[in-house]
Amino acid sequence: MTLYSTVQQDSDPEETGEWLDSLSAVNEAHGPNRARYLLANLLDQARRGGFVPDQLLATDYVNTIPVEHEPRYPGDEEMEERIDSIIRWNAALMVVRANARSHGIGGHLATFASSAELYDVAFNHFFRGKDGEGSGDQIFYQGHASPGIYARSFLEGRFDEAKLENFRREAVRGTGLSSYPHPRLMPDYWEFPTVSMGLGPIASIYQARFNRYLHARGIKDTTGSRVWAFVGDGETDEPESLGALSVAAREGLDNLVWVVNCNLQRLDGPVRGNGKIVQELETVFRGAGWNVIKVVWGREWDPLLANDAEGLLRRRLNELLDGHFQKMRAEGGAYIRKHLFGTDPRLLALVSHLDDDQMGRLRRGGHDRFKVHAAYKAAVEHRGRPTVVLAHTVKGWDLGKAQSSNRAHSIKDMDLAELKSFRDRLELPISDAQVEKMPYYHPGKDAPEVRYLLEHRRALGGQLPKRRMSTPHAMPIPGPRLYEEFHKGTPKPVSTTMAFVSLFSRLLKDPEIGRRIVPIIPDEARTFGMDPLFSSVGIYDPAGQQFEPTDAGMLLRLRMSADGQVLEEGITEAGSMASFQAAGTCYATHAEPMFPFYVFYSMFGMQRTGDQVWAFGDARGRGFLLGGTAGRTTLNGEGLQHEDGHSHLLATAVPNLIAYDPAFAYEIAVIVEEGLRRMVRETQDVFYYVTLQNENYVQLPMPGDVKEGILRGIYKLRDAPQRLGRHVQLFGSGCAVNLAMEAQELLARNHGVSSDVWSVTSYQQLRRNALDVERHNRLHPDEAPRRPYLVEALGDAKGPFVAVSDYVKLLPDMVARWLPGRLTPLGTDGFGMSDTREALRRHFEIDAPSIVIATLEALASEGKGKKGEVSAAFETYGYDPEKFRPSAL
Ligand SMILES: Cc1ncc(C[n+]2csc(CCOP(=O)(O)OP(=O)(O)O)c2C)c(N)n1
Ligand SMILES: [Mg+2]
């Protein structure tokens, strides 16, 4: 009986029966392969004839695995149910107690209540830990199910009561439990941040792929690792959740299992009140090439469905909407009888032997460990494709008033009566008097439940979740020689992008670190001049290269191979960031340091994938983000959507991201050298954001030992050739350093003003340091006050200061209050547009004449101006003071 038969009346049941019987006979006599072959041929014929049915991807609203194919359950079910009860109780109590103590501190009851069995079965029978051989499994837990995961750790003896009591109370370092999976806050426990909806799912796909990459490149045998992702049904609305499904199918990631917790609800109410989320996801996943296993009904339904000879029940289940199912669970047995079965006396007869209470306990599949186990077993045994288990569950299962209510997600408390009936349903030995105290329940460390849990975890390789804390890795890193070549500069004009690419090629060839470098590029390699990597180190593709590329035979040709090094992601910044995370956390996940260098269009990084950048910071990832074609006026032709003048502002806010806007090859070399040193030698969980530009100019040699200044954010690049009566300081960053040097000449030649030019590589670093120093002084009033690095570096330089960059003015403004004089920031506030660099720089008022005018005005404001000087400069430089205001709305 198929879905089609339920949507269309059968005009000739006898004929239908014959067809179905013969197919079953083939299956029985010659096996499923033969049956499949015949079906495929029939479908082929239907396709050619133009009568192929639609909805080919959907199946009935029943379990995918037939009862007769279910394996024996390997666990002690009664024992596991007792354990489940204890975990459910403690998970709920953590949240209830936290809110009783501090109203509104939050936490979620209903999510874990809907997924307890989904985790239980996996922990007891599937998840592989890290104490065995290999790295174990990588697990992406649904973020707000965390109380349930903590409650399990409590039962296992990993946490004491005090720890549970400090759920969501983390301000005293190390004593609390974080709201959600945050490696930043619990570095020896959580591995992957997941709570920003959609990021866990996409990260899991690229994690599974990266595991394959590591294996193919001979870095680590990852055949013993499986990636699990627990995903909310509401969460699948996020484009990141489903956007990369085809990647997993295309690369045949059978090391990946998703479990979608289809409790039919999200935060505000039903996920698809007027539809069926399980059915919708089934078609999406199957269409994308995944193996789909639906776990819709618990074992209580098996006899009902077996007795449903006419297919009435199936038809009824197919036609009911999620909104109906939600209401039924909220109302209970009598309502279910009336509204699910009451539409037809034959259906009512099917359940006439059940009382209302039993009706209410007709479980959904995700709450039946037999069904869940069968699905997981089939998932891990499936070859060639990733598997999704679509588990039908109840939001707030067993919680009482929260169960299936539209408010379920936000309910954080239970009153005494609810706690008592919750205890009764869970059959826990807690007296009425005790319940009033809202106690946690632990049966004692030698209790059979605890022993059972621990034994199962021992057999599966140890307790989870667990993150390996990094240990200093004795890995050699390239010495200074590799970088020194870039200190010399080049007389031939080249861009900083070119300079980076040539440094990068050297790193890739380095005998020590080369193979651990992971180039990640979202279809922009040619834009950045990185396409030579295609032939030198090859593009990773598990299928190798099965065609002759159009550039075969050429020196620079497209070369794909199963052990290629480049992750050529295609046009997906989100996917690239997910790869960046998998690679950047590999030092912890697989105890193998890998160094991702992800090069992207700078506009499509911090802004487009900012949430993933934040999650990478949380995940303690290490690596380099390279924002190519950076600068609002430096990328000149591409216009408004492409020209980035604010990614550095966004980068400023990520605590462990270190951002630089370098001007010269030697600055880049110094930054990369230091970055690798900090990540490897110091084992610091930091990552870098470096912008690269595509304007060609002479790469100056490093002016003496300015390494410290480069790294800390500022150094003097060029002294005034001679000191004149009026003297100013010019700050430039990135390409704009050249504009500052041009202004230096104009000021001296035309206006009698001398100036020093400074390269400011990082306002972010200068500000962080100044804030730290300020704080130190505030908290140590009796010590001699310290001085920010910026103040130290400036020495006796006085204002006025004029700062120019290809970014918004807020960047230089961030350090203004520590400068010994007035700062005039020049920058690129406003939308970009397409024109030449010169025109854009005039438009945004950052070109050399704009710097000159700003300087003369700044001098005038200090009483050092000359009458009519600024107006005369307008004349000299053809400058229209009434020109369009670039930041205009
Ligand atoms: C990007 C993002 N948007 C919004 C939220 C807030 N939020 C947390 S849980 C939730 C609902 C989740 O529903 P579902 O995925 O179905 O999970 P369930 O709790 O039902 O298992 C929302 C909207 C979030 N965490 N991340
Ligand atoms: Mg949900």
Side-chain angles (χ1 to χ4, degrees):
M1 197 61 56
T2 75
L3 191 63
Y4 319 114
S5 59
T6 67
V7 292
Q8 204 180 315
Q9 280 303 320
D10 193 345
S11 56
D12 187 347
E14 203 175 315
E15 187 185 40
T16 312
E18 280 168 22
W19 278 77
L20 295 178
D21 286 347
S22 22
L23 191 63
S24 303
V26 172
N27 182 33
E28 270 152 41
H30 305 290
N33 277 346
R34 174 69 189 152
R36 229 173 262 138
Y37 180 84
L38 284 181
L39 260 182
N41 270 280
L42 280 175
L43 274 175
D44 211 32
Q45 194 169 331
R47 220 169 265 134
R48 270 180 268 132
F51 53 89
V52 73
D54 43 14
Q55 290 182 302
L56 202 54
L57 299 172
T59 61
D60 280 342
Y61 201 55
V62 295
N63 296 344
T64 304
I65 301 176
V67 187
E68 56 275 16
H69 289 183
E70 265 174 38
R72 191 187 58 80
Y73 193 68
D76 173 345
E77 192 187 18
E78 254 179 57
M79 169 70 81
E80 292 192 8
E81 294 209 327
R82 282 207 302 282
I83 292 169
D84 176 71
S85 292
I86 299 171
I87 292 178
R88 280 176 178 275
W89 174 266
N90 289 326
L93 265 284
M94 273 174 78
V95 178
V96 172
R97 285 183 67 94
N99 283 278
R101 242 175 89 197
S102 174
H103 183 70
I105 195 111
H108 299 85
L109 298 169
T111 301
F112 180 70
S114 69
S115 51
E117 288 85 2
L118 302 180
Y119 287 109
D120 248 15
V121 173
F123 272 109
N124 288 337
H125 305 289
F126 291 93
F127 289 165
R128 285 167 299 188
K130 296 178 189 301
D131 304 341
E133 269 175 38
S135 320
D137 289 351
Q138 287 83 50
I139 303 149
F140 293 73
Y141 303 90
Q142 222 188 321
H144 42 292
S146 61
I149 312 301
Y150 293 143
R152 168 173 288 271
S153 294
F154 170 67
L155 193 53
E156 288 181 0
R158 294 176 72 189
F159 296 150
D160 57 15
E161 275 195 23
K163 201 84 175 164
L164 296 200
E165 208 50 7
N166 283 334
F167 173 53
R168 295 190 168 224
R169 307 288 290 245
E170 302 182 86
V172 180
R173 269 185 95 81
T175 58
L177 295 175
S178 64
S179 49
Y180 304 118
H182 294 304
R184 169 79 17 202
L185 300 168
M186 294 176 64
D188 58 351
Y189 193 83
W190 295 117
E191 286 187 289
F192 308 107
T194 49
V195 85
S196 177
M197 311 262 110
L199 301 194
I202 192 168
S204 73
I205 291 177
Y206 284 84
Q207 180 68 52
R209 174 163 168 268
F210 194 72
N211 286 359
R212 288 277 164 83
Y213 172 92
L214 287 174
H215 192 84
R217 302 207 50 245
I219 306 263
K220 175 112 187 178
D221 180 350
T222 55
T223 44
S225 288
R226 183 169 294 113
V227 178
W228 297 81
F230 288 75
V231 181
D233 49 357
E235 183 174 16
T236 61
D237 283 342
E238 291 284 3
E240 289 87 348
S241 296
L242 302 185
L245 293 188
S246 56
V247 174
R250 195 162 58 237
E251 305 218 356
L253 299 180
D254 55 16
N255 57 343
L256 176 66
V257 178
W258 275 23
V259 181
V260 185
N261 174 16
C262 297
N263 55 25
L264 314 186
Q265 290 177 243
R266 44 182 163 76
L267 193 149
D268 280 341
V271 177
R272 295 286 185 275
N274 291 325
K276 287 165 101 72
I277 188 65
V278 171
Q279 301 299 85
E280 182 180 323
L281 292 175
E282 175 180 33
T283 58
V284 170
F285 278 89
R286 192 162 288 132
W290 285 50
N291 174 41
V292 180
I293 304 176
K294 294 198 295 192
V295 183
V296 188
W297 305 114
R299 69 191 80 157
E300 300 80 14
W301 293 81
D302 291 342
L304 307 184
L305 286 161
N307 293 334
D308 178 34
E310 293 170 85
L312 294 173
L313 181 54
R314 279 174 182 249
R315 184 174 300 174
R316 185 71 188 130
L317 297 175
N318 285 343
E319 73 196 8
L320 282 166
L321 303 174
D322 285 358
H324 297 132
F325 283 121
Q326 186 193 344
K327 176 85 172 160
M328 286 178 198
R329 284 271 49 119
E331 298 289 335
Y335 187 95
I336 296 176
R337 184 185 308 278
K338 179 157 176 228
H339 291 271
L340 200 157
F341 298 95
T343 50
D344 190 310
R346 289 169 294 178
L347 283 176
L348 275 176
L350 271 182
V351 289
S352 58
H353 61 294
L354 302 176
D355 64 24
D356 285 349
D357 196 41
Q358 288 167 318
M359 276 306 257
R361 304 300 296 179
L362 287 176
R363 281 177 297 178
R364 292 185 183 167
H367 296 298
D368 182 339
R369 60 194 67 236
F370 284 11
K371 306 289 180 191
V372 173
H373 169 264
Y376 289 177
K377 184 158 186 294
V380 303
E381 286 172 0
H382 191 82
R383 291 288 162 267
R385 287 184 300 164
T387 293
V388 62
V389 175
L390 300 173
H392 190 207
T393 60
V394 180
K395 189 133 180 174
W397 176 239
D398 250 354
L399 281 183
K401 76 168 188 242
Q403 176 167 306
S404 265
S405 101
N406 275 333
R407 292 180 50 243
H409 192 83
S410 318
I411 292 177
K412 305 170 193 324
D413 50 11
M414 292 170 93
D415 61 27
L416 196 56
E418 285 177 303
L419 281 175
K420 282 184 182 160
S421 48
F422 188 42
R423 176 224 34 209
D424 293 343
R425 283 192 300 276
L426 298 177
E427 298 176 12
L428 291 176
I430 307 172
S431 71
D432 279 359
Q434 281 174 314
V435 169
E436 282 175 30
K437 297 195 189 113
M438 301 197 296
Y440 295 112
Y441 176 73
H442 197 291
K445 70 178 181 13
D446 297 321
E449 291 85 357
V450 177
R451 285 211 308 273
Y452 183 94
L453 275 190
L454 294 178
E455 270 160 29
H456 278 75
R457 285 314 315 160
R458 210 171 293 127
L460 283 164
Q463 293 172 320
L464 289 171
K466 184 168 168 183
R467 180 178 178 278
R468 279 204 194 91
M469 301 276 276
S470 81
T471 44
H473 201 283
M475 215 193 79
I477 47 174
R481 272 195 33 223
L482 187 145
Y483 304 98
E484 273 160 9
E485 181 190 321
F486 298 89
H487 298 177
K488 295 186 208 128
T490 55
K492 187 171 145 260
V494 295
S495 66
T496 48
T497 307
M498 284 309 295
F500 164 76
V501 171
S502 112
L503 172 71
F504 192 53
S505 318
R506 296 283 303 272
L507 281 171
L508 280 165
K509 285 191 198 117
D510 184 80
E512 313 290 358
I513 208 166
R515 61 196 277 271
R516 294 183 178 273
I517 298 228
V518 185
I520 303 172
I521 311 167
D523 200 38
E524 293 286 354
R526 293 183 200 279
T527 313
F528 306 129
M530 296 178 78
D531 41 321
L533 295 185
F534 293 165
S535 45
S536 60
V537 294
I539 295 171
Y540 170 71
D541 193 311
Q545 188 158 39
Q546 303 177 10
F547 60 96
E548 188 180 16
T550 57
D551 47 12
M554 296 194 187
L555 192 60
L556 295 183
R557 65 191 190 284
L558 192 92
R559 187 171 68 84
M560 297 149 85
S561 77
D563 64 351
Q565 193 162 359
V566 178
L567 291 176
E568 161 61 83
E569 304 289 9
I571 311 166
T572 168
E573 283 77 12
S576 304
M577 270 308 298
S579 278
F580 187 63
Q581 179 175 307
T585 54
C586 189
Y587 73 91
T589 315
H590 292 293
E592 291 291 345
M594 299 296 283
F595 303 97
F597 283 72
Y598 165 32
V599 195
F600 52 91
Y601 236 113
S602 81
M603 193 64 154
F604 307 134
M606 295 300 148
Q607 168 165 289
R608 179 153 187 147
T609 59
D611 207 17
Q612 288 173 295
V613 173
W614 187 256
F616 187 87
D618 182 356
R620 299 177 165 265
R622 302 173 186 172
F624 294 85
L625 294 169
L626 290 309
T629 52
R632 187 100 76 207
T633 68
T634 308
L635 174 66
N636 50 9
E638 293 290 321
L640 184 151
Q641 190 76 53
H642 287 64
E643 290 163 355
D644 164 35
H646 54 283
S647 62
H648 275 291
L649 192 60
L650 303 178
T652 292
V654 183
N656 50 344
L657 177 58
I658 300 170
Y660 290 102
D661 181 12
F664 299 110
Y666 64 82
E667 292 181 2
I668 296 174
V670 168
I671 292 163
V672 171
E673 181 178 10
E674 173 69 359
L676 286 175
R677 191 193 66 79
R678 284 177 72 170
M679 291 171 209
V680 177
R681 289 277 167 275
E682 312 274 329
T683 62
Q684 290 179 4
D685 302 338
V686 291
F687 63 123
Y688 282 67
Y689 177 51
V690 182
T691 41
L692 303 173
Q693 298 156 325
N694 65 358
E695 182 176 355
N696 293 330
Y697 53 84
V698 172
Q699 295 293 322
L700 298 181
M702 184 149 82
D705 187 6
V706 292
K707 279 189 184 176
E708 186 184 6
I710 293 171
L711 296 171
R712 303 192 69 173
I714 188 169
Y715 67 95
K716 194 188 278 182
L717 179 66
R718 184 177 279 179
D719 275 319
Q722 75 184 112
R723 186 107 186 181
L724 303 172
R726 298 185 294 175
H727 191 71
V728 300
Q729 308 298 326
L730 302 179
F731 290 174
S733 304
C735 286
V737 162
N738 295 316
L739 306 175
M741 288 194 292
E742 214 183 302
Q744 183 188 45
E745 282 175 33
L746 294 179
L747 280 167
R749 180 159 20 102
N750 298 343
H751 307 280
V753 177
S754 59
S755 55
D756 301 328
V757 173
W758 303 73
S759 174
V760 180
T761 50
S762 179
Y763 285 107
Q764 180 212 45
Q765 290 298 298
L766 292 176
R767 179 174 170 82
R768 281 189 188 167
N769 164 265
L771 287 175
D772 283 349
V773 168
E774 205 171 66
R775 173 179 177 276
H776 176 90
N777 291 342
R778 183 164 63 241
L779 300 183
H780 302 84
D782 301 328
E783 288 179 18
R786 295 179 181 173
R787 301 201 309 164
Y789 180 76
L790 174 61
V791 175
E792 296 275 340
L794 287 175
D796 54 9
K798 303 270 177 324
F801 298 88
V802 177
V804 59
S805 86
D806 216 358
Y807 288 84
V808 289
K809 299 183 179 89
L810 200 47
L811 283 174
D813 264 337
M814 294 196 307
V815 301
R817 78 188 149 86
W818 294 283
L819 291 174
R822 195 182 95 153
L823 169 78
T824 306
L826 299 177
T828 56
D829 298 51
F831 282 118
M833 58 177 75
S834 32
D835 207 316
T836 62
R837 284 190 186 117
E838 293 69 31
L840 288 177
R841 286 170 182 173
R842 174 60 58 92
H843 169 78
F844 281 107
E845 298 160 19
I846 61 166
D847 62 355
S850 301
I851 301 171
V852 169
I853 288 163
T855 307
L856 297 178
E857 188 277 331
L859 285 166
S861 78
E862 292 190 358
K864 295 182 194 156
K866 292 189 182 153
K867 196 157 181 297
E869 186 177 37
V870 178
S871 313
F874 294 150
E875 278 296 306
T876 312
Y877 302 112
Y879 211 95
D880 174 10
E882 302 306 326
K883 70 187 275 299
F884 184 78
R885 184 165 55 91
S887 60
L889 299 178

